[in-house]
Amino acid sequence: MKLDWEYYWDEVKKRKFFIFGFFLVVLLPTMDTWIFLGPSVRTAQSVGIMPDSVTTSIIIQKAAILVIFAVSWDLLSGYSGQISFGHALFLGMGGYLAVMIREGLMIGDQEVFPGMEEQLVDIGGIYFDLSVIEAIILASALIAVFALVTGTIILRLKGPYFALVTLVLPLIAQILVTKIWGDFTGGDGGLQITSQLIQKPPGSTLEGLDLFKLQIEQMTTVILTFAIVCVAIMYLLARSRYGLVLKAIREDEQAASSSGINVSLYKVSVFVISSFFASVAGGLLAQVFGSSTSALFESERSFEIIIFSILGGIGTILGAIIGTFVLFFALSYYIKDGFVDLQTIEVLIFGLLLIIIIRYQPRGLINADPQLRNSLFFGVIFSFLMAFYDTGNMIIASTWNPAPILQKYLGQGERGFFGMDLFKVQGRMVLYFIVGTVIGYYGPELAQKIRLRLWGVWPSLGTFDPPK
Amino acid sequence: MSSRPTSVWRQITLLRVNDLSVHYGRAIALASVTLEIKSGEFIAVIGPNGAGKSTLLRAISGLVELERGTITYNDEILVETTNSRYRKIRKDRSLMPNEIVQRGVIHCPERRRLFPKLTLEENLMLGAYVYKEETEENYKRMEEVLRLFPALRERMHEEAGNFSGGQQQMIAIARSLMGRPKILMLDEPSMGLAPTIRIEIMEKIKEISQQGTTILLIEQDAMLALKAAERAYILEDGTIDREGRCSDLLNNEYILETYIGLT
Ligand SMILES: Nc1ncnc2c1ncn2[C@@H]1O[C@H](COP(=O)(O)OP(=O)(O)OP(=O)(O)O)[C@@H](O)[C@H]1O
Ligand SMILES: [Mg+2]
């Protein structure tokens, strides 16, 4: 016999309401402006069991930029099959060049290039400096020209040889900007951004933290807009005839040219398009970081998005988007901004995930069997959901997400019971439940076993009939 | 596809390969090959492994660089290299492979070479790549092609890699037909297939030939090829060893001995 909520839950799963859940994740940072939830969420944030809206906004900004970057990689490597291990080359070039174009270029006392004039515009209440965006686009266009030249040369190389060259190029670039061109790239410190993308609205009375929060939120909007536009362009390209031809080239170059396809023309063109969008991502990332440093060229940047895309499903665009957004978001919540100490195991977690996926779902989550796919999405989404109830002298919090409570203990060097706990913060009691773990995917048998012990753990796969 | 054309039309030389030599590094794959194909003819090229048969087709499609020679199609130069030892003028008047396909010189490559992860329909559509603008036309053409291979029609959205060898060969031929060939060059379509399937495929090729397409067929199975074609060239060690009408060659003792295994 099924319980009522189980029918309801099946219904939700069937109708793919997980999209709704996904929006919840995106809306989470704006929740403290909600009238009803506001006070208790703010309380939860103040006692540290929920990331504050600034943290979450920055995570979203970075995730959105990485989505552009990952999709540009997927278009080149997933679609046309030219596997690049050094896409960060364009990320870094985009970052540096955009800043240089906007801020001007000085070598010693010699001004090589004066920089752009400030151009303040107000669109929908967001008051920003248009010249920064123009600089990013101009820089990306120049880098696309650079890609046209290099692509024509290196795309003659096949398979592993091409990959090898792409692996080396960002390393060379890194040495160039830190050691050799230090005079105008700022060496190890990088190029600082002095002109902010988001400006203070004229006549605004906001000050300090409030102004900062407003700017962060507006920045998120601008970056999300960029991400949506860029990804939409690349998605449409990939879904068109152009994308089909790229796939044909990936499958069999000789057969493609037998069909009359000008293989090298397509390869170079996709390299150029991909580099353009990767550079846009680089320009935006520099804005988020506040500077362009040689870290943009690091191979970690290149590998990160390859792993995201493989997890999501290579050669599908959608896989790159979902893989990047969900994974980066989840990892940032749990690792980067959850426990700083655990940052070093990020690579380990990536590696393990990669091995598991390549072993069991080599075509990525997007191509996984639908039940597994949906339950994984649900698992990640529910891991963000939290409930708070502020009784005045006690906060009752429940979540699927153990990160905050782990963070509390790791932060204080204590050990605790991770199912339910009572602790005191700023003179107030917090009662904290973890109502599930972020496994997200249980086989039917495992679900039965777990459900018998823990209240509220929904099996994501299969149904469970309690013994009559 | 029109019905069989008149005999006057059949006197026109469609494709002429003149003094063609191809080297792979030091290896000589083709040495001074000359052949001629008339409109509407069904020509077979047979020869042992490594004779240079595939190289001949690749040269006509513009996929390999020539050492020397000219290939003309309808009196237009497709590929030409005039080459002296010291002054190599390459690709001077040659067309790009895609331009050659545009002329209707279509190559159905060895080992089928489908796009395995793409669907059957996508494979066929890629065959019509050079006719980009007229998608309507392409769907009409697909209907025509599928009339020849009705078994494929039900499985249009399956990945091409999932089909059996014989079906994949059918798909490869269908894909080539999507390019609206004037001259269809088939490289060993019977490779690795059971005898009954070979015969079935050869029947299809005969049907295509009867509908007016000029055919240049490369085959290991000499008996099969000589029975289907009108005229044949025997290629050995990169040179044309002999040529003639298939009926004559089938009575030639040397041919029977070396290629068909009869004495
Ligand atoms: N890409 C290549 N690089 C170097 N040598 C090659 C290459 N392709 C073919 N050859 C050589 O050229 C010669 C002719 O090859 P080709 O593939 O044309 O033979 P074939 O007649 O088609 O043989 P088969 O019946 O086995 O398909 C062979 O000796 C082969 O080793
Ligand atoms: Mg061959």
Side-chain angles (χ1 to χ4, degrees), chain A residues 228-258:
Chain A
I228 290 169
V229 171
C230 292
V231 169
I233 294 172
M234 287 188 276
Y235 183 79
L236 290 178
L237 265 180
R239 282 297 154 118
S240 69
R241 218 180 111 79
Y242 183 77
L244 180 62
V245 173
L246 292 184
K247 282 201 265 184
I249 291 172
R250 174 190 72 198
E251 295 290 301
D252 194 326
E253 263 182 46
Q254 270 203 20
S257 49
S258 292

Side-chain angles (χ1 to χ4, degrees), chain B residues 53-54 110 187-188 218:
Chain B
K53 305 182 295 294
S54 303
E110 202 172 7
D187 198 341
E188 297 199 32
I218 293 207

Side-chain angles (χ1 to χ4, degrees), chain B residues 196-252:
Chain B
T196 48
I197 311 278
R198 287 180 181 208
I199 292 168
E200 197 185 327
I201 292 213
M202 207 50 75
E203 287 306 317
K204 298 286 181 197
I205 297 172
K206 272 193 230 169
E207 213 175 316
I208 297 166
S209 159
Q210 263 147 30
Q211 284 165 347
T213 309
T214 310
I215 303 245
L216 176 57
L217 170 72
I218 293 207
E219 256 309 331
Q220 286 280 342
D221 190 336
M223 192 68 173
L224 196 67
L226 291 178
K227 276 188 175 164
E230 297 162 31
R231 216 149 57 76
Y233 289 90
I234 314 289
L235 197 63
E236 273 182 23
D237 281 341
T239 53
I240 301 277
D241 187 56
R242 59 189 75 199
E243 62 161 301
R245 302 200 60 78
C246 288
S247 47
D248 300 340
L249 289 174
L250 273 171
N251 293 328
N252 184 309

Side-chain angles (χ1 to χ4, degrees), chain A residues 44-335:
Chain A
Q45 286 171 343
S46 74
V47 298
I49 53 175
M50 184 179 174
D52 58 49
S53 66
V54 169
T55 311
T56 315
S57 292
I58 292 176
I59 295 175
I60 289 185
Q61 289 172 10
K62 288 184 192 163
I65 293 170
L66 283 188
V67 166
I68 304 178
F69 188 40
V71 170
S72 79
W73 181 84
D74 196 35
L75 194 65
L76 173 67
S77 300
Y79 272 80
S80 79
Q82 309 304 306
I83 306 284
S84 160
F85 284 132
H87 219 45
L89 174 68
F90 300 118
L91 194 74
M93 287 179 73
Y96 272 96
L97 205 58
V99 178
M100 277 178 196
I101 289 176
R102 173 62 187 84
E103 314 263 333
L105 183 58
M106 301 275 282
I107 298 182
D109 296 332
Q110 195 79 33
E111 188 180 66
V112 183
F113 180 77
M116 291 169 81
E117 290 283 313
E118 202 174 53
Q119 251 181 290
L120 296 179
V121 291
D122 181 352
I123 297 178
I126 299 178
Y127 202 68
F128 62 92
D129 186 351
L130 189 64
S131 68
V132 173
I133 290 172
E134 283 171 0
I136 290 174
I137 291 171
L138 182 60
S140 306
L142 288 176
I143 290 163
V145 175
F146 166 82
L148 179 70
V149 178
T150 39
T152 317
I153 301 164
I154 66 173
L155 282 164
R156 285 163 196 259
L157 302 170
K158 297 258 184 303
Y161 302 102
F162 175 77
L164 208 61
V165 169
T166 58
L167 191 63
V168 172
L169 286 179
L171 302 180
I172 296 174
Q174 210 170 10
I175 292 170
L176 286 178
V177 296
T178 52
K179 302 271 150 43
I180 296 170
W181 294 340
D183 285 349
F184 57 97
T185 56
D188 291 322
L191 286 178
Q192 297 301 317
I193 288 176
T194 52
S195 56
Q196 296 296 322
L197 175 60
I198 304 291
Q199 303 277 333
K200 183 176 173 179
S204 160
T205 53
L206 289 177
E207 282 299 332
L209 191 62
D210 287 332
L211 179 65
F212 176 65
K213 272 192 172 175
L214 177 78
Q215 288 185 333
I216 287 281
E217 263 167 38
Q218 294 190 336
M219 183 80 161
T220 310
T221 313
V222 171
I223 286 175
L224 279 178
T225 312
F226 251 99
I228 290 169
V229 171
C230 292
V231 169
I233 294 172
M234 287 188 276
Y235 183 79
L236 290 178
L237 265 180
R239 282 297 154 118
S240 69
R241 218 180 111 79
Y242 183 77
L244 180 62
V245 173
L246 292 184
K247 282 201 265 184
I249 291 172
R250 174 190 72 198
E251 295 290 301
D252 194 326
E253 263 182 46
Q254 270 203 20
S257 49
S258 292
S259 304
I261 293 169
N262 189 340
V263 173
S264 47
L265 182 74
Y266 274 90
K267 280 207 235 173
V268 171
S269 71
V270 72
F271 193 66
V272 168
I273 293 170
S274 172
S275 72
F276 177 84
F277 287 107
S279 313
V280 170
L284 291 174
L285 209 53
Q287 285 294 324
V288 171
F289 288 150
S291 63
S292 282
T293 63
S294 65
L296 288 175
F297 286 111
E298 255 161 31
S299 22
E300 200 185 313
R301 295 280 87 73
S302 308
F303 289 125
E304 207 170 50
I305 49 144
I306 295 178
I307 290 167
F308 291 151
S309 306
I310 290 176
L311 286 167
I314 207 170
T316 55
I317 302 289
L318 221 52
I321 299 172
I322 288 170
T324 306
F325 214 97
V326 169
L327 261 169
F328 183 77
F329 214 94
L331 288 170
S332 305
Y333 251 70
Y334 285 105
I335 298 169

Side-chain angles (χ1 to χ4, degrees), chain A residues 406-421:
Chain A
L406 288 172
Q407 182 185 20
K408 274 249 98 57
Y409 285 110
L410 289 180
Q412 291 163 7
E414 292 175 32
R415 297 186 58 81
F417 170 63
F418 292 149
M420 182 184 98
D421 205 20

